[in-house]
Amino acid sequence: MKKIISGICIATSLSLFSCSEWVNVSSKQEIEADEMFNNEIGFQQAQIGLYTRMTIEKTYGKDMTFGKIEELVQRYDNYGSNVPTDRERAKRYDYKNNDDAKDMVNSLWTELFRTIANANELLERLEGKGKEIVNAELWKTLKGEALGLRAYHYFDLLRLYGPIYAQDPTMNCLPWRNYFNADRKELLPANEIAGHILDDLKEAETLLAAEEPLAGSQDQTTRRHYMNKWAVKALKARVYQWMGEDRLAEKEALAVIDSCGLELVTNNQEDVSMFDETIFALGMDDMEEKLKGDWADKTTFAEERYISSSNATAVFETETIGNSDIRYSNGWGFIHGTNGLLCRKYLGKETKYMEKIPLIRLSEMYLIAAECGSLENSVDLINKVRHARGISRSNDVIFNASYDDEKRQELLNKEYQKEFFAEGQWFYFLKRHNYTTFHRCPVEKMTYYVLPTPTDEIEYGV
């Protein structure tokens, strides 16, 4: 078998980066990799490399947030002067024959597993030499974050390549890799993968147990850029909800709401990504330049990811309850241009918090608790999110005899569609509930939620 080295690399200066490939290496290069982990700084650089790698285009810097995953639910109208037919838009689901769809299936799998490999190497180094040379408290933080990040990536792989969980939790879908090697692994059932993810999260939570709430000092604000204790608990809520463990999901979500120290954002004019309520985020250096093809601070759009006025009207219910919704309003959630609307979440140059990619926000915990708890409690939780976003109390959801599970799910679908625009989360809501159609669905019946496992990527990195 070929020798391999992970994609964790460091520059000679304090500028850190993470390579995107595993590469064949010489003995000299292996020695240099070993030397990287000779002191605490090397371990910290490796950790930062994981987060930096998450900002690449093929993962959370684009495709896993506002890019490919949002395209699967037909979010944008950025087709220039051409209006595509439903048949053309449905090509995104032809995972075997359409080149772009095939590339998405392969690249998401490959790049997410590469970051998992890097996390695995860091974990192995921590269990080895790291116990001798890394301060005990730092060691716990580094290991807790690495476990949380591995779980985060694995859960998104499960949500993409795994089954609609409520229908087939034993479908074989992913290999479980928790060691840094290229040994071939068999595909495991979805419920076993979910169990491994929860094991990682429980251990991470124990390691990060002493962490303070996220509000307050600059140090705690900085922790939102890392897999902190509250991000771990929020991810547990996501996983439990996916598995149908409603009681446990509600418990974790409410614990985050009650104790993380953050409040729902009521003004996104300057806080465009709603960072003030963000539990876990990435920072992207030079975001404006990197994303200028997708987002631009102007009023006439061409290839940018804009939406039509009719699209926005339907999504944000502007003709009924949503005209003052800050997620929609001009200069708040969107730029209302001459030929459409453009989301402002990734326009951070002149704003309060620059260059942020939100990955978990507090509002999601409210919506998880609303879905997984009692009908009566769900009304208050949904209304709290809507109030924070500027929807009048005169439009409150009312708990009465006609409010049932079906009505709750309908309301939550609308809120996920609004709340997580350009963040990639609505697709997972639709998949979890197996929606056969949705706003602007281009096919008669949506049966394309499960991405096929790439046949040549089961044994990756060799």
Side-chain angles (χ1 to χ4, degrees):
M1 181 177 292
K2 298 177 183 178
K3 295 176 181 178
I4 56 176
I5 186 171
S6 80
I8 300 175
C9 303
I10 60 171
T12 54
S13 69
L14 292 180
S15 175
L16 305 175
F17 64 95
S18 178
C19 302
S20 62
E21 301 286 349
W22 285 6
V23 294
N24 298 328
V25 296
S26 65
S27 296
K28 178 181 178 181
Q29 288 170 309
E30 288 183 281
I31 292 170
E32 290 173 348
D34 288 338
E35 290 177 349
M36 174 183 172
F37 293 96
N38 271 338
N39 52 53
E40 284 188 353
I41 292 176
F43 281 89
Q44 290 174 298
Q45 289 171 331
Q47 173 219 44
I48 293 173
L50 292 175
Y51 293 105
T52 305
R53 193 175 198 288
M54 290 177 73
T55 68
I56 67 173
E57 180 177 316
K58 292 295 185 180
T59 58
Y60 300 95
K62 182 173 181 176
D63 287 352
M64 290 291 294
T65 49
F66 65 80
K68 298 298 183 184
I69 307 304
E70 289 289 79
E71 291 172 6
L72 288 176
V73 286
Q74 309 292 330
R75 285 292 212 176
Y76 309 114
D77 296 291
N78 58 324
Y79 301 102
S81 59
N82 300 316
V83 179
T85 64
D86 282 352
R87 182 177 180 180
E88 290 171 320
R89 292 193 296 120
K91 290 179 181 178
R92 291 190 172 118
Y93 309 134
D94 190 356
Y95 304 130
K96 293 185 177 180
N97 301 303
N98 180 271
D99 287 342
D100 187 59
K102 285 193 297 182
D103 178 70
M104 177 194 70
V105 166
N106 291 330
S107 66
L108 293 181
W109 174 283
T110 301
E111 297 301 338
L112 291 173
F113 267 119
R114 281 175 176 158
T115 306
I116 289 171
N118 289 353
N120 284 340
E121 185 185 20
L122 176 55
L123 287 164
E124 288 188 22
R125 300 277 187 169
L126 284 166
E127 289 295 334
K129 201 170 185 179
K131 286 187 172 180
E132 303 172 6
I133 63 177
V134 178
N135 171 277
E137 288 305 310
L138 176 61
W139 187 92
K140 288 197 294 185
T141 298
L142 293 176
K143 184 176 180 182
E145 288 182 23
L147 287 168
L149 289 174
R150 182 168 73 186
Y152 190 94
H153 285 74
Y154 249 114
F155 184 53
D156 277 352
L157 282 162
L158 179 62
R159 292 198 289 183
L160 290 171
Y161 297 89
I164 297 169
Y165 198 90
Q167 292 187 344
D168 188 9
T170 60
M171 170 188 152
N172 292 334
C173 56
L174 296 171
W176 178 252
R177 292 187 174 275
N178 59 342
Y179 293 101
F180 178 63
N181 58 47
D183 294 347
R184 185 179 180 86
K185 297 285 187 179
E186 298 299 322
L187 299 182
L188 295 181
N191 56 356
E192 289 190 32
I193 295 295
H196 287 309
I197 292 169
L198 285 171
D199 288 342
D200 275 359
L201 292 173
K202 290 172 184 177
E203 184 176 359
E205 185 176 2
T206 299
L207 290 163
L208 300 172
E211 188 151 9
E212 297 294 327
L214 294 170
S217 69
Q218 181 59 42
D219 287 343
Q220 291 310 104
T221 297
T222 301
R223 285 299 296 159
R224 298 186 221 172
H225 292 102
Y226 296 89
M227 178 55 67
N228 57 76
K229 169 185 172 180
W230 310 105
V232 168
K233 292 185 73 63
L235 186 53
K236 284 174 69 180
R238 277 184 180 177
V239 177
Y240 282 132
Q241 183 187 41
W242 189 260
M243 297 173 68
E245 297 284 355
D246 287 352
R247 183 184 63 81
L248 294 172
E250 180 192 25
K251 178 182 176 182
E252 296 293 343
L254 290 176
V256 175
I257 292 169
D258 292 340
S259 304
C260 73
L262 304 179
E263 300 289 341
L264 292 171
V265 165
T266 59
N267 186 333
N268 60 351
Q269 285 184 300
E270 292 187 343
D271 185 7
V272 294
S273 67
M274 298 190 178
F275 184 74
D276 274 337
E277 69 171 51
T278 294
I279 298 166
F280 180 38
L282 299 173
M284 176 183 280
D285 290 336
D286 201 19
M287 176 185 278
E288 182 182 25
E289 177 63 25
K290 291 176 181 176
L291 303 186
K292 65 183 180 182
D294 298 288
W295 313 102
D297 192 358
K298 58 184 183 180
T299 56
T300 301
F301 315 118
E303 298 304 319
E304 292 83 13
R305 292 176 181 270
Y306 68 90
I307 62 174
S308 67
S309 296
S310 60
N311 189 351
T313 294
V315 170
F316 293 97
E317 304 179 274
T318 62
E319 293 182 348
T320 52
I321 68 171
N323 196 47
S324 60
D325 193 325
I326 66 171
R327 297 169 293 191
Y328 160 81
S329 297
N330 189 24
W332 294 64
F334 278 79
I335 297 171
H336 293 207
T338 58
N339 63 330
L341 292 80
L342 188 90
C343 181
R344 297 180 67 238
K345 286 178 181 175
Y346 301 95
L347 299 177
K349 182 180 178 183
E350 303 295 339
T351 56
K352 182 178 179 181
Y353 300 115
M354 297 188 295
E355 302 179 326
K356 307 299 183 187
I357 301 173
L359 296 183
I360 306 177
R361 290 192 292 108
L362 182 62
S363 58
E364 184 181 355
M365 298 300 103
Y366 277 84
L367 298 181
I368 288 176
E371 182 172 340
C372 295
S374 70
L375 282 170
E376 186 173 3
N377 288 342
S378 72
V379 168
D380 182 55
L381 291 161
I382 292 170
N383 283 335
K384 283 183 178 179
V385 174
R386 287 161 49 130
H387 295 163
R389 303 313 187 226
I391 295 177
S392 170
R393 282 175 166 75
S394 64
N395 294 308
D396 273 1
V397 180
I398 304 298
F399 179 68
N400 55 30
S402 65
Y403 184 78
D404 55 13
D405 285 323
E406 184 177 351
K407 179 64 174 178
R408 170 167 61 179
Q409 185 173 315
E410 177 189 347
L411 287 166
L412 287 168
N413 179 36
K414 290 178 179 179
E415 289 307 311
Y416 269 85
Q417 192 176 2
K418 300 171 195 175
E419 186 67 22
F420 304 110
F421 192 95
E423 294 183 37
Q425 296 302 318
W426 187 41
F427 172 83
Y428 302 123
F429 178 89
L430 294 173
K431 177 174 179 175
R432 185 158 47 81
H433 290 288
N434 194 24
Y435 274 76
T436 57
T437 191
F438 52 86
H439 173 56
R440 302 178 77 246
C441 181
V443 293
E444 184 175 346
K445 184 178 182 181
M446 180 61 179
T447 58
Y448 306 97
Y449 290 119
V450 180
L451 303 191
T453 302
T455 55
D456 59 347
E457 293 293 345
I458 302 300
E459 188 175 7
Y460 65 93
V462 181

